[in-house]
Amino acid sequence: MRTNSSRRILAAVVGACAMALGATACGSPDPGSGSDVKDVASALEAGGKVTVWAWEPTLKKVAADFEKKYPKVDVELVNAGTGDKQYTALQNAVAAGSGAPDVAQVEYYALGQFAIGKSLEDLSGYGAAVHDKAFTTGPWSAVQYDKGVYALPMDSGPMALFYNKKVFDRHGVAVPTTWDEYVDAARALHKADPKLFITNDTGDAGATTSLIWQAGGRPYTVEGTGIGIDFGDAGTQKYTSTWQKLLDERLLAPVSSWSDEWYKGLSDGSIATLSIGAWMPANFASGAPGAAGDWRVAPLPQWTKGDKAGAENGGSSLAVPKASKNKALAYAFIEYATTGEGASARVAEGAFPATRADLESKAFLETAFPYFGGQQANQVLADAARDVGTGWSYLPYQVYANSVFKDTVGKAYVSSTTLTQGLEAWQKTSAKYGADQGFTVRK
């Protein structure tokens, strides 16, 4: 749960934009703050230092390769903490007017909050828009706001079903292809062994919104300073009607993801599936090495039999803070890290690409995963990337919204509150916060 001090910091991000409402559209670049491709080339020729705040390990290889290609450039990688910890540090630096990095890793769901707070540089003037066809749909959509491009996609998280083949085979249960079959499989596995659960879930904002996305729900709409929040749409109802059965019948392991107990469940098979992003394989190998050979990857179950609908879960971008002292050189680094040879180097190091070229390469598609019994799992994951549904939006203050998920929807996991009621409460809380910050909120 986010601390109150963190919430105040996050509020400040949006508050900076709220004060500007009525004067200009939030997130619009300042006049004269742009640059062009020639400036980037000149910056590379001149050289200098680029400070990068990121936790993603494959950037170490990228930084070394970039310095080798451009000897006059020094890239300093700093791990300022993952996710929220880094966002807090970044906003503190922005508020203080000093200490901000030249490049920051920002997850897709959090990007809008920093863009609307005018903490990030619009990269359109540096030539970012030329890459509009280079990236897959979900990540490219996520880095845009109010006609600007505020980052370049670093990776992606198209969802797939990771399942323990050994467990399913032992109990004669078919791998589900629809969510109705998934519920049936959950019942069959738990009946065969009460210690077995189809998956774990204690309430997670990212997982919930991703499954709503896949079901066709589009609860958030964002148009400038006007936002809409509606968790009563048909897609959301598909999700709640199915997931409520799993909750009511106690078919979900009450285990928090990323905990020691969670990794134990993945290792011993008591957690039989994960519906999660394509970045998960490396975590299996490092966190549950004893289950190597037991797990496989399959397409995400569908809400309607025969469909091929997908969604994103997780993923990050690289952005240039407004406070960067060397914006053109910073853009040159993130362009290198997210496209062409930089992106390919990261894929070779284990990242899941957001670039179409890497997703379609023969080497990538034919990579065999020993952990998954030699399966060429990238073929399933690449298909999932192509099937991601379009039109998804996050709130421009999604970081705050996610921080109150446990206080609202989370009650459905520990009380008689239903998921529908929890989502209604989440909607009201998120809408009130938006209105308090000066947004025009409509249902």
Side-chain angles (χ1 to χ4, degrees):
M1 182 64 64
R2 194 180 313 282
T3 64
N4 288 333
S5 60
S6 295
R7 291 187 188 187
R8 287 194 293 271
I9 290 168
L10 295 171
V13 179
V14 181
C17 184
M19 291 186 291
L21 295 183
T24 183
C26 293
S28 297
D30 294 334
S33 66
S35 182
D36 57 30
V37 177
K38 290 182 180 179
D39 290 328
V40 173
S42 298
L44 284 169
E45 177 62 27
K49 183 176 181 179
V50 176
T51 301
V52 180
W53 282 9
W55 61 86
E56 211 282 339
T58 65
L59 285 175
K60 293 179 181 179
K61 169 67 173 170
V62 170
D65 290 348
F66 191 74
E67 289 177 334
K68 184 176 181 180
K69 186 172 183 177
Y70 302 104
K72 295 181 180 179
V73 179
D74 174 28
V75 179
E76 180 185 15
L77 284 176
V78 177
N79 188 336
T82 59
D84 295 343
K85 291 182 179 179
Q86 179 179 286
Y87 304 150
T88 299
L90 179 59
Q91 187 53 34
N92 282 340
V94 169
S98 64
D102 298 297
V103 174
Q105 178 179 350
V106 184
E107 293 161 284
Y108 296 130
Y109 81 90
L111 195 64
Q113 187 147 316
F114 283 95
I116 203 166
K118 295 191 174 183
S119 299
L120 302 179
E121 181 80 355
D122 179 2
L123 304 178
S124 300
Y126 299 86
V130 74
H131 299 297
D132 63 336
K133 304 299 182 185
F135 297 102
T136 53
T137 303
W140 182 247
S141 296
V143 299
Q144 298 177 74
Y145 178 75
D146 195 26
K147 299 181 181 180
V149 180
Y150 287 89
L152 289 182
M154 188 167 64
D155 53 22
S156 63
M159 296 181 76
L161 182 72
F162 295 81
Y163 70 97
N164 191 312
K165 183 178 186 297
K166 183 177 179 180
V167 169
F168 276 81
D169 288 350
R170 180 193 305 147
H171 297 289
V173 177
V175 178
T177 61
T178 68
W179 288 109
D180 286 339
E181 292 175 2
Y182 188 84
V183 174
D184 289 339
R187 291 167 176 154
L189 290 174
H190 196 59
K191 182 177 180 181
D193 182 349
K195 295 181 180 179
L196 279 181
F197 294 91
I198 191 77
T199 194
N200 71 294
D201 190 7
T202 57
D204 178 85
T208 297
T209 51
S210 289
L211 290 177
I212 289 173
W213 180 351
Q214 193 229 0
R218 299 293 183 269
Y220 302 130
T221 55
V222 181
E223 296 178 7
T225 59
I227 62 173
I229 310 174
D230 181 10
F231 281 104
D233 64 4
T236 302
Q237 290 174 28
K238 286 181 183 179
Y239 163 76
T240 55
S241 64
T242 297
W243 221 253
Q244 192 66 54
K245 295 174 186 176
L246 296 171
L247 283 174
D248 290 344
E249 298 178 39
R250 300 182 184 279
L251 298 174
L252 302 173
V255 174
S256 297
S257 296
W258 312 107
S259 65
D260 290 342
E261 190 178 2
W262 183 67
Y263 278 116
K264 182 177 183 298
L266 298 181
S267 297
D268 63 22
S270 58
I271 296 174
T273 75
L274 290 180
S275 301
I276 204 165
W279 39 262
M280 185 62 199
N283 295 287
F284 269 113
S286 62
D294 295 347
W295 287 80
R296 300 290 187 275
V297 186
L300 200 63
Q302 295 296 306
W303 300 94
T304 301
K305 192 172 184 63
D307 280 359
K308 291 185 177 180
E312 293 276 343
N313 177 245
S316 298
S317 65
L318 291 178
V320 177
K322 279 276 190 182
S324 167
K325 303 300 183 183
N326 205 342
K327 295 184 179 68
L329 192 59
Y331 176 77
F333 175 77
I334 71 170
E335 185 176 51
Y336 178 87
T338 59
T339 65
E341 59 190 69
S344 296
R346 293 186 56 254
V347 171
E349 293 285 304
F352 191 84
T355 44
R356 296 182 188 276
D358 289 295
L359 280 169
E360 295 168 1
S361 74
K362 183 177 179 181
F364 175 77
L365 293 172
E366 295 183 354
T367 297
F369 286 75
Y371 192 91
F372 300 123
Q375 180 186 10
Q376 293 178 343
N378 283 337
Q379 294 184 5
V380 176
L381 300 175
D383 285 342
R386 285 188 286 270
D387 292 336
V388 171
T390 59
W392 177 265
S393 296
Y394 287 111
L395 289 173
Y397 50 89
Q398 194 69 43
V399 176
Y400 171 80
N402 285 6
S403 77
V404 296
F405 183 88
K406 287 287 188 183
D407 301 330
T408 52
V409 187
K411 292 182 178 179
Y413 292 82
V414 295
S415 71
S416 60
T417 299
T418 66
L419 281 171
T420 296
Q421 292 169 336
L423 286 167
E424 288 175 352
W426 195 28
Q427 176 175 319
K428 290 178 181 178
T429 301
S430 299
K432 183 180 184 303
Y433 181 84
D436 289 345
Q437 300 304 316
F439 293 96
T440 300
V441 183
R442 62 188 180 280
K443 180 176 179 181

